[in-house]
Amino acid sequence: MKEFLRASMGALTAAMLMMGCGEGAPVQPDYRGEPLVTLEGQLLLADRVQVDEPVRLALVWYKSRTDPSQPREIVTEDIAYEPSFPIDFTFHLYAPPPPEALTESAAGRFGQAILVAYRDGNHNGRLDPIPAGEVPQDEVLGATLSFFDPQAPGYALSYWEDAGCQNGRFILSHVPGGDALSGAEPVPLDTPIPLTLTGEEELAALVCVATMTPEAAGSPNPLEFCGLPATPGILRVSASFVLRIEETSTGESVREQALVRVSDGSRWLTAADATATLNGHPIPIGSVDTTPGVFPTPGAVSTLIVSAPGLSSATYEIRAPGVPRPSSPASGATFPSGSSLRFAWSPGPFNESSWVDLTAGAESTTLWSQGGVLGPSSEPPPSPFDITTSPIAYTGDASARWVVFSMGYSRHGSRTWSQVEYTRRVTFTP
């Protein structure tokens, strides 16, 4: 559904002072030098929310885009409490993220973070993640990208390094709708960031350490993995969409698949309880649908609406990835066993992450694969849409496959997944 995530900003830990691939010399406590990045903005207060204790900020780094339940590193800075809102804030970063907060790919290393406002419940001066099986120690009041309001815009901070820990840089991105990172656009680092304190209980999931188990993933309560209750009486959706395109001798074979489940936070609803439409096309609740038209429009924004008697309808915008267009290897190409193949393709919009693989034709055994956050070409760093495989020692037919996907998170823990697969045949000769 969503991955982005510890030590006081007043005295950064040694881990935070490590630079890229090696350990840098720790900065002395009495001098931290010039900040690499200064984030600025305002704390705002939502309607009917009251705050009568000091508010603190934490920069929460997540190691992966795809799992926001796994905090890796949290950096906090005090914000002086004022009896009235808004409150202006600044947040300084004096070093790159710690290595353990970064994910490695062929292109280099990357990490993502959001700013979180919280109440220090145990008064220890930092934001404490929620260990598996335990209760929250602090109260998360708001975040710059909460994943719980599809209408509200948001902000996320990214850090990128090229291979070899070269050219490290921070990027601030604006997300026009809070339900998907795939629509993010880079903005200047000094852009004012609004952070609204909503006080929603579900916000605690942003700092939950528990791992999403298969059992919890199948729960009608999207926060069960974290041991948190779901706000009752609200429709939530868990939906997956897959589009498979396979080149054939006569053109392309296209298959679509959708699975939409709807819950009220306590139980899964059935087709007798709820209805769903995608761009006006009816989709059955709780069962796999493979009829044409069940995949959102590739490379465009589609609308999913779920309804149930006695509850307000819920509308979700789904940014389905575009279809990858490969230029190499050519369809039907032949290679001697031991050859290295070049995978090259043109990306489509909303490609949040991608992978490519090569499998043996009959057995579907993986011969080679590579994946990573290979987003739209407008996002830094330049996406590696041109990859050379290791030597492939194999004889026979094989399938070259390109996979791109996009995820969406929205109010009260709803989540969507849309994936496009493109496959073409190649042959290896002795």
Side-chain angles (χ1 to χ4, degrees), residues 126-196:
R126 65 177 184 268
L127 175 58
D128 296 299
I130 307 171
E134 298 190 19
V135 298
Q137 299 297 311
D138 305 316
E139 180 184 1
V140 179
L141 301 172
T144 56
L145 192 67
S146 73
F147 304 109
F148 300 117
D149 190 346
Q151 305 303 320
Y155 291 85
L157 183 69
S158 302
Y159 178 79
W160 303 86
E161 283 179 358
D162 295 336
C165 303
Q166 302 295 312
N167 193 26
R169 63 269 195 202
F170 289 93
I171 302 115
L172 181 64
S173 295
H174 174 253
V175 183
D179 63 339
L181 277 171
S182 54
E185 295 289 344
V187 295
L189 283 167
D190 59 358
T191 299
I193 303 173
L195 200 170
T196 301

Side-chain angles (χ1 to χ4, degrees), residues 333-341 391-396 427-430:
T334 300
F335 304 90
S337 178
S339 297
S340 296
L341 276 62
I392 308 298
Y394 170 74
T395 300
T427 300
F428 289 88
T429 60

Side-chain angles (χ1 to χ4, degrees), residues 403-424:
V403 181
V404 294
F405 71 84
S406 180
M407 302 179 69
Y409 300 89
S410 50
R411 195 168 186 82
H412 300 290
S414 290
R415 54 196 181 274
T416 62
W417 172 288
S418 51
Q419 177 174 309
V420 178
E421 303 177 10
Y422 193 97
T423 304
R424 63 175 30 163

Side-chain angles (χ1 to χ4, degrees), residues 280-306:
H281 178 96
I283 296 181
I285 298 294
S287 61
V288 175
D289 188 359
T290 58
T291 59
V294 297
F295 188 83
T297 305
V301 178
S302 295
T303 302
L304 176 68
I305 301 176
V306 296

Side-chain angles (χ1 to χ4, degrees), residues 157-249:
L157 183 69
S158 302
Y159 178 79
W160 303 86
E161 283 179 358
D162 295 336
C165 303
Q166 302 295 312
N167 193 26
R169 63 269 195 202
F170 289 93
I171 302 115
L172 181 64
S173 295
H174 174 253
V175 183
D179 63 339
L181 277 171
S182 54
E185 295 289 344
V187 295
L189 283 167
D190 59 358
T191 299
I193 303 173
L195 200 170
T196 301
L197 279 56
T198 64
E200 294 179 304
E201 291 184 3
E202 282 88 350
L203 289 169
L206 294 173
V207 292
C208 181
V209 178
T211 301
M212 177 70 80
T213 64
E215 294 77 16
S219 171
N221 174 8
L223 303 181
E224 181 173 308
F225 77 96
C226 199
L228 299 171
T231 302
I234 295 174
L235 288 179
R236 299 163 176 83
V237 66
S238 175
S240 63
F241 303 91
V242 180
L243 174 65
R244 295 183 175 93
I245 303 174
E246 182 175 358
E247 287 188 344
T248 68
S249 58

